[in-house]
Amino acid sequence: MRQFRRGAVDAIYEVIRKRRDVRRFETTDIPDEQVRRLLGAAHHAPSVGFMQPWNFIIIRDPDIKRKVKESFLRENAAAEENYDGVRRETYRTLKLEGIMESPVGICVTCDHTRGGTHVLGRNSIPETDIYSVCCAVQNLWLAARAEGLGVGWVSILRLETLREALGIPAHVTPIAYLCVGIPKEFFPQPELETAGWAERIPLDDLVFFDAWGTRKIDGPPKDMTR
């Protein structure tokens, strides 16, 4: 079996570790051919039944970006109401989008009809079309990091706003609005971790063996649910 060079393997893991959700961008534009390389990486993502349910809408028009930003502002104000006291004050300090600052927006969608009425492997879990699109988003994100570009996924939006602003038909669901550009910096750790909002959970706390709650720690499996 052909193996990748050790340096290539190390680079893959480094890109994964150093991927960040970027919200602060330089004003420098990024060329179309570079955007196309990112889309090519996304298009090579795995998809159930090879249905490839994704489409990519490239947004450079400031008027369209402004509509998306207005949706963010409304939804962000509503989200703030979920928190009280110090937590709310911390929330207000977080920068959670770069819609107007980033030179390129990319909306990644899911066409639920792609592949026809029956797609191999999708009979029992129809949501696998959405899972496949998420794989495409991750591919794009990692390719961007390898190219020195930043990507920020803006989730504080109304899907109806994206559908209307971008003319997305009813059988297609917008999955991700991504801000793409040259980052002002890549943080050494996730920004929410730096801000004290959350911490990375230790991997060992998330791994079970053969059944939920069963761990292997220096001996036979231990049932952690008891």
Side-chain angles (χ1 to χ4, degrees):
M1 181 182 294
R2 180 180 180 274
Q3 299 293 325
F4 292 100
R5 300 186 314 276
R6 183 68 250 173
V9 174
D10 291 343
I12 290 291
Y13 282 100
E14 183 177 10
V15 167
I16 291 171
R17 287 194 303 270
K18 292 186 176 180
R19 182 212 57 81
R20 294 290 178 266
D21 194 351
V22 175
R23 291 104 178 210
R24 297 170 177 83
F25 298 91
E26 302 288 353
T27 57
T28 308
D29 200 1
I30 55 177
D32 289 340
E33 57 267 26
Q34 193 171 30
V35 174
R36 187 171 178 81
R37 285 199 297 273
L38 303 186
L39 300 184
H43 189 45
H44 279 78
S47 63
V48 172
F50 203 42
M51 71 179 298
Q52 305 159 75
W54 43 72
N55 282 87
F56 309 96
I57 304 174
I58 311 302
I59 301 109
R60 293 183 182 273
D61 187 329
D63 289 335
I64 295 177
K65 289 182 181 180
R66 199 168 292 110
K67 291 179 182 179
V68 177
K69 178 64 177 281
E70 289 169 358
S71 175
F72 167 81
L73 291 174
R74 289 192 298 270
E75 296 307 312
N76 193 52
E80 182 183 309
E81 298 300 316
N82 293 321
Y83 309 105
D84 297 307
V86 174
R87 195 70 164 170
R88 177 178 290 189
E89 292 304 314
T90 301
Y91 184 88
R92 288 172 176 167
T93 68
L94 300 175
K95 182 169 175 55
L96 301 175
E97 53 78 37
I99 297 167
M100 299 305 299
E101 299 92 331
S102 59
V104 176
I106 301 177
C107 183
V108 189
T109 65
C110 179
D111 185 340
H112 303 288
T113 67
R114 186 78 47 83
T117 56
H118 181 74
V119 174
L120 187 153
R122 192 174 165 227
N123 185 67
S124 301
I125 309 176
E127 296 85 3
T128 49
D129 58 349
I130 296 176
Y131 306 160
S132 298
V133 172
C134 291
C135 289
V137 171
Q138 180 76 336
N139 268 21
L140 187 154
W141 216 329
L142 295 175
R145 183 63 184 90
E147 296 240 8
L149 297 175
V151 174
W153 185 334
V154 186
S155 60
I156 307 175
L157 294 171
R158 283 286 179 186
L159 296 185
E160 293 83 354
T161 300
L162 286 181
R163 191 185 300 281
E164 179 181 353
L166 303 177
I168 298 172
H171 67 281
V172 174
T173 298
I175 301 299
Y177 186 94
L178 307 176
C179 302
V180 183
I182 299 173
K184 288 187 178 294
E185 65 176 313
F186 285 111
F187 286 94
Q189 58 186 10
E191 190 171 353
L192 292 182
E193 188 174 4
T194 302
W197 186 265
E199 297 180 354
R200 189 177 300 280
I201 302 171
L203 177 60
D204 287 343
D205 292 354
L206 304 173
V207 179
F208 302 134
F209 294 88
D210 296 325
W212 182 272
T214 303
R215 305 181 190 274
K216 292 180 181 178
I217 305 175
D218 299 326
K222 180 179 179 182
D223 185 355
M224 301 297 288
T225 64
R226 295 179 180 175

